[in-house]
Every structure is written in C-alpha cells, then in structure tokens.
Amino acid sequence: MRPGVSISYRHPVTNGYWPLFDLHLTTPDLTLRPMREADLASLSDLLPDDLEHDPDATRYHVSDERLSRGIITHQGYWKAYGTWHPSAWRLGFAVSAAGDMVGFQELEGNDFPLLRTVDTSSFLVQAVRGRGYGKQMRRAVLALAFGPLRAQAAITSAWHDNQASLGVSRALGYQPNGESLHTREEGADVMVHMRLRRQDWLASGFGNDVVISGFDACRFLFGL
Ligand SMILES: CC(C)(COP(=O)(O)OP(=O)(O)OC[C@H]1O[C@@H](n2cnc3c(N)ncnc32)[C@H](O)[C@@H]1OP(=O)(O)O)[C@@H](O)C(=O)NCCC(=O)NCCS
C-alpha cells in the first residue's frame, strides 16, 4: 500500500483486496451487487434476445448465437475489472428480485475525476419488464453516482425506437441531449442521447429510498 493511503473497513469484508464485492445497493424491490465470476454463467443464460452487444466485441466462429453472446459477457466482465482505473471504470451489477437474478445494470465513468459524468446501460429478463424494475435499478446506480461518487451529470443513449430505455430516462428526469447517426446492422440509424443534471436528480428525490452499503472501502477505486 502506498504511504498515506489508508483503507478501513466498517464491516466484515468478503475480499479485502477488491472491496467492490461488498458494495450493495437496495431499492424497495431489488438488490444490486457487483458482478462476480460465479454469476457469469447464470447471467449469460439470462441474456435477452433484444439486448445489443458492443459491436466491437470479439466474435468467434460458433454456430450458436447464444454461446457467442455469453462469451462476450464473460470477456466484458474480465475486461471491466482487469482494466479498472479511477479515470476509466465500468461497474456491472447483478440485479436480483426476491432472490432471483433478473438482470444487469452497469454504471460507467470515463475521465470521471475530471468530468464527474456517468453513463448507464442495462437489461432485464422479459418476464419482469414493465413493473418499474428498469427505473428502480437505474435509480439505484444514480443514487450511488450522485451520492457518494458526487457526480455532476448522468448521460445515456438508446436507439430512437427503444421506447422502454428512453421511457426509463424520461421518467427519471433526463433531458434531450442530441442525436447521432450510427451504423446499425446493414444501415444507419438514429441514436438518442439524454442527460440528467445533478440538481434535477437531487430535487426529484428519486434516490431517497435507495440504500447503499459498503461504499466507504471502495472510495480509492474511484480516485476519491
Ligand atoms: C430497458 C429496460 C431495462 C427497462 O426495463 P422496464 O421494466 O421495461 O422499465 P420500467 O417498467 O421500469 O419503465 C419503463 C418506462 O418506459 C415506458 N415505456 C415502456 N415501453 C414503452 C413504449 N413502448 N412506449 C412508451 N413508453 C414506454 C414505461 O411506461 C415506463 O415509464 P413510466 O414510468 O413513465 O410509465 C428493459 O426494457 C430491457 O431490458 N430492454 C432490453 C435491453 C435494452 O434495450 N437495454 C437498454 C439499452 S442498454
């Protein structure tokens, strides 16, 4: 440990070297905890067909598309923790309802100490959509971002026809932040960008029922 850096733990830790594993976010219906290697196969089994993966992810010559998408999920997990840096991080949470894993919520920061801006992405299994869980899990990570991480803004992007994703953002007070053209399958299509300001989040009270535990030990990972 570098001189002058002290890390203390308030509660029993699972892994003192990677305190993110003890971070928990809870909402009235959901529990979010950072992904662990043991979650990878289960999460890969849950990937919905309408989830779009990073077009730059490595693709292998396998005949089963679900296998290919599961591999991308595994490599994305290792890449996120393996390349973690306070100025560039991706924190993926496994989302559970009543003890069952039902989805994934990611929070991302690039040049975070300087820009204080986070991005998000997520999915839920089809069976639990439309119950407000999409909003709850976004609220959970926004409470972390605008709370102990002291973010100034949250941004998000979705294809123009992804009404559920855009609906979550609108419902939580994000404002339009422009559009851009991107390649989509064989053609080009419109990506809609939205932005939520810190003052609007705090005024909304949408973070009030989110409980965050285990964050103090993680501060150094975010350069705080
Ligand atoms: C995005 C996703 C996580 C949202 O979860 P969800 O359970 O559908 O969302 P919620 O029920 O919490 O809220 C959806 C909001 O969008 C609105 N919405 C949903 N479908 C809509 C539609 N077709 N038209 C207009 N509004 C719509 C809902 O009314 C709700 O807003 P409201 O509270 O103001 O009424 C989920 O739909 C999903 O997994 N989609 C596939 C993966 C994906 O596209 N992820 C996002 C890109 S990274």
Side-chain angles (χ1 to χ4, degrees), residues 50-51 121-124 128-135 137 162-165 167-168 171:
D50 58 356
L51 176 68
S121 61
S122 64
F123 76 79
L124 280 169
V128 302
R129 291 186 196 172
R131 299 181 187 178
Y133 287 179
K135 285 180 290 184
M137 59 204 221
N162 192 340
Q163 293 303 330
S165 178
V168 168

Side-chain angles (χ1 to χ4, degrees), residues 89-153:
W89 46 264
R90 297 177 82 120
L91 179 51
F93 289 90
V95 180
S96 301
D100 294 327
M101 196 190 294
V102 293
F104 175 79
Q105 174 72 58
E106 189 173 64
L107 183 70
E108 178 181 357
N110 287 304
D111 285 331
F112 184 72
L114 185 68
L115 303 179
R116 295 278 172 192
T117 299
V118 292
D119 200 346
T120 55
S121 61
S122 64
F123 76 79
L124 280 169
V125 296
Q126 291 277 3
V128 302
R129 291 186 196 172
R131 299 181 187 178
Y133 287 179
K135 285 180 290 184
Q136 279 191 43
M137 59 204 221
R138 182 88 68 86
R139 289 200 292 111
V141 293
L142 291 176
L144 173 66
F146 288 117
L149 288 174
R150 303 200 303 272
Q152 291 299 317

